[in-house]
């Protein structure tokens, strides 16, 4: 569609102030590609109208939050319109006594946590860079950090969701009470779909009480096995784990643990954790880099970052084999079986990516490219070989988005 005609059609929906063109489009770049235009709708109704227009015209649309995870995925095959949802940033409903909350997709996780703090409550989401990450983006990317051992995953705490379909229809799934079990649990379908099935505009969550006490400890181990054993023993003993991860930059493996809860539970866990670590040869140390500081944003990709997923019992072997590939940094969540490996300077990134995928496969797991420069994506599917379930995913995509308007080419199989 011609630029002028497209802008005129969108002006009727969002108005001139919320239409982005020209130099302003640089901030919506995805893998070196800019959209024809970007819009910033202020209501669910406007999102619906924009998607209905895109559906009629066959436009490629990429939903935007803050963009922190926008580099995750393949290169878009069509990119006509960036749909910026950050103006949808209202708290819709909060029931403190019921520990439930409904919020629009454009609010950041950190801002929502600040609003809940006076009620001594928190939303159990732990994305990287929470001051930038939006609710919708966190759900679309299923982003979860080392607090997943205590908070669970985004799909576990999302009990209701409102989305705008590819043709502009507004639909809901789930509800506003934790015990809602009517119908299929479509919330879990949308969480992690990376903007390929529908545009998330609102979500309902179950909340948790805000921990009264927090303490962070770090222990250095000479090899990954005792570090992993310490993590598993802390989990087995039901210590007050708030978050837990391993980091390696050459030298010792550092286990970083945050304990949260009431004072008595944290005090008991402090002494128990120290005894566990010391019994396995661990020494108290300082945290070199915190999780969010060490994890490079896919939107600002430099070098190569791989995400390997294996059985938790295979984490020590995974870490040992990763060391032979000489990464600049490894960050792992041993209780979840997830290892991130980053190479700041990768002379042969495609070869490294292939080796990491083969490594994970040899351990019965999988690996994807979490972050890389766009040039690599021209030759490699960042999600690796297609899984046996791909035909089911493709069928769902074709039913939900028959014209392929939403994030075309970005998900598995470049679909």
């Amino acid at each position: 569609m011609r630029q002028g005609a497209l802008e005129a059609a969108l002006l009727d929906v969002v108005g001139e102030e919320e239409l982005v063109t020209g130099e302003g489009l640089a901030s919506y770049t995805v893998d070196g590609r800019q959209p024809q235009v970007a819009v910033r709708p202020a209501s669910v109704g406007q999102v619906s109208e924009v998607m209905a227009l895109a559906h009629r015209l066959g436009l490629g649309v990429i939903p935007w939050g803050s963009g922190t995870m926008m580099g995750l995925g393949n290169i878009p095959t069509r990119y006509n319109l960036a749909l910026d949802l950050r103006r949808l940033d209202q708290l819709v409903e909060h029931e403190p006594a019921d520990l439930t909350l409904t919020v629009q997709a454009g609010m950041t996780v950190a801002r929502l946590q600040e609003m809940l703090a006076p009620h001594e409550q928190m939303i159990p989401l732990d994305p990287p860079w929470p001051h930038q990450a939006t609710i919708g983006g966190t759900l679309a990317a299923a982003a979860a950090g080392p607090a997943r051992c205590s908070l669970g995953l985004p799909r576990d705490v999302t009990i209701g969701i409102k989305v705008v379909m590819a043709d502009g229809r507004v639909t809901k799934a789930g509800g506003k009470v934790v015990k809602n079990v009517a119908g299929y649990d479509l919330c879990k379908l949308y969480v992690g779909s990376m903007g390929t099935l529908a545009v998330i505009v609102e979500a309902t969550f179950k909340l948790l009480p805000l921990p009264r006490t927090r303490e962070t400890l770090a222990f250095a181990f000479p090899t990954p096995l005792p570090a992993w054993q310490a993590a598993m023993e802390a989990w087995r003993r039901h210590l007050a784990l708030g978050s837990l991860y391993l980091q390696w930059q050459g030298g010792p493996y550092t286990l970083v643990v945050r304990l949260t809860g009431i004072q008595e539970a944290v005090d008991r866990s402090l002494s128990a954790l120290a005894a566990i670590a010391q019994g396995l040869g661990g020494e108290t140390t300082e945290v070199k880099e915190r999780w969010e500081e060490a994890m490079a944003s896919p939107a600002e990709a430099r070098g190569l970052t791989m995400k390997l997923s294996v059985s938790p019992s295979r984490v020590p072997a995974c870490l040992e084999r990763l060391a032979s590939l000489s990464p600049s940094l490894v960050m792992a969540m041993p209780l979840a079986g997830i290892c991130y490996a980053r190479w700041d300077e990768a002379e042969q990134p495609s070869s490294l990516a292939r080796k990491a995928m083969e490594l994970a496969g040899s351990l019965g797991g999988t690996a994807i490219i979490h972050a890389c420069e766009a040039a690599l994506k021209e030759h490699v599917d960042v999600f690796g070989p297609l899984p046996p379930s791909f035909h089911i995913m493709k069928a769902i995509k074709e039913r939900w988005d028959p014209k392929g308007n939403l994030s075309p080419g970005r998900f598995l199989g470049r679909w």
Side-chain angles (χ1 to χ4, degrees):
M1 186 177 186
R2 292 183 178 180
Q3 185 72 20
L6 176 57
E7 292 179 14
L10 290 169
L11 276 174
D12 292 337
V13 178
V14 299
E16 185 175 359
E17 292 184 357
E18 304 310 326
L19 191 68
V20 182
T21 59
E23 295 181 358
L25 296 175
S27 61
Y28 297 98
T29 300
V30 177
D31 293 324
R33 287 159 171 75
Q34 290 185 11
Q36 285 183 257
V37 66
V39 293
R40 300 181 295 202
S43 67
V44 173
Q46 287 187 348
V47 175
S48 175
E49 290 184 63
V50 169
M51 288 308 304
L53 176 66
H55 183 73
R56 291 196 303 270
L57 300 178
L59 304 179
V61 180
I62 296 182
W64 267 81
S66 64
T68 58
M69 300 295 287
M70 197 54 67
L72 179 60
N74 288 306
I75 297 175
T77 53
R78 299 194 328 278
Y79 188 19
N80 306 105
L81 177 64
L83 184 60
D84 188 333
L85 300 169
R86 283 175 287 185
R87 292 186 67 202
L88 275 69
D89 62 351
Q90 299 302 305
L91 179 61
V92 178
E93 185 177 358
H94 179 207
E95 295 291 345
D98 295 334
L99 286 171
T100 61
L101 169 146
T102 302
V103 63
Q104 289 185 319
M107 183 178 290
T108 66
V109 173
R111 181 184 168 208
L112 184 55
Q113 299 287 27
E114 291 171 359
M115 296 174 70
L116 292 172
H119 301 277
E120 296 187 343
Q121 294 178 348
M122 62 178 286
I123 187 167
L125 295 176
D126 180 39
W129 323 287
H131 287 87
Q132 297 173 270
T134 61
I135 294 294
T138 298
L139 295 183
R148 62 191 294 162
C149 64
S150 62
L151 303 182
L153 298 170
R155 67 184 183 190
D156 300 326
V157 300
T158 306
I159 58 176
I161 203 164
K162 179 186 287 186
V163 301
V164 176
M165 305 298 289
D167 60 3
R169 290 174 297 152
V170 180
T171 67
K172 296 180 180 180
K176 295 182 179 180
V177 293
V178 174
K179 293 185 178 180
N180 189 306
V181 293
Y184 295 111
D185 189 356
L186 292 179
C187 295
K188 289 182 172 60
L189 178 65
Y190 296 124
V191 175
S193 62
M194 292 183 59
T196 61
L197 299 179
V199 181
I200 299 172
V201 292
E202 190 177 290
T204 302
F205 300 94
K206 52 186 176 184
L207 305 176
L208 292 177
L210 195 64
R212 295 180 179 274
T213 305
R214 296 182 176 88
E215 295 285 351
T216 301
L217 300 87
F219 302 94
F221 295 86
T223 62
L225 180 58
W228 173 83
Q229 290 173 326
M232 298 305 291
E233 184 64 13
W235 174 259
R236 189 187 68 81
R237 292 197 193 180
H238 300 287
L239 301 189
L241 300 179
S243 67
L244 184 151
Y245 64 93
L246 271 169
Q247 61 177 247
W248 180 78
Q249 292 176 282
Y253 290 80
T254 303
L255 178 66
V256 182
V257 183
R258 171 174 286 183
L259 301 171
T260 60
I262 61 174
Q263 188 68 56
E264 293 81 359
V266 170
D267 288 344
R268 178 184 65 83
S269 297
L270 278 169
S271 57
L273 182 61
I276 291 170
Q278 291 167 7
L280 291 165
E283 297 181 356
T284 303
T285 186
E286 295 182 355
V287 181
K288 293 182 179 179
E289 286 191 90
R290 299 191 181 278
W291 181 271
E292 59 273 15
E293 296 168 349
M295 293 301 298
S297 167
E300 302 173 355
R302 297 293 185 274
L304 172 69
T305 300
M306 299 293 298
K307 178 184 178 182
L308 293 78
S309 300
V310 299
S311 168
S313 63
R314 299 291 183 89
V315 168
C318 184
L319 293 173
E320 287 181 350
R321 298 187 191 182
L322 273 175
S324 67
L325 299 180
S326 303
S328 308
L329 172 71
V330 174
M331 304 287 283
M333 293 180 278
L335 300 177
I338 293 175
C339 303
Y340 290 90
R342 190 181 81 206
W343 291 264
D344 293 331
E345 296 181 4
E347 294 183 1
Q348 296 181 315
S350 59
S351 176
L352 278 173
R354 176 180 54 80
K355 290 178 180 178
M357 290 179 181
E358 291 174 351
L359 189 163
S362 70
L363 295 172
T366 60
I368 67 169
I369 297 175
H370 177 72
C372 69
E373 297 181 10
L376 177 59
K377 297 183 181 183
E378 297 282 0
H379 310 287
V380 178
D381 188 326
V382 302
F383 296 105
L386 296 179
S389 59
F390 177 68
H391 69 286
I392 299 175
M393 300 181 194
K394 186 177 179 182
I396 293 172
K397 170 68 171 175
E398 290 174 339
R399 179 60 62 90
W400 258 249
D401 182 18
K403 291 187 177 181
N405 298 120
L406 282 166
S407 301
R410 303 205 69 221
F411 211 19
L412 277 77
R414 304 181 189 276
W415 188 251

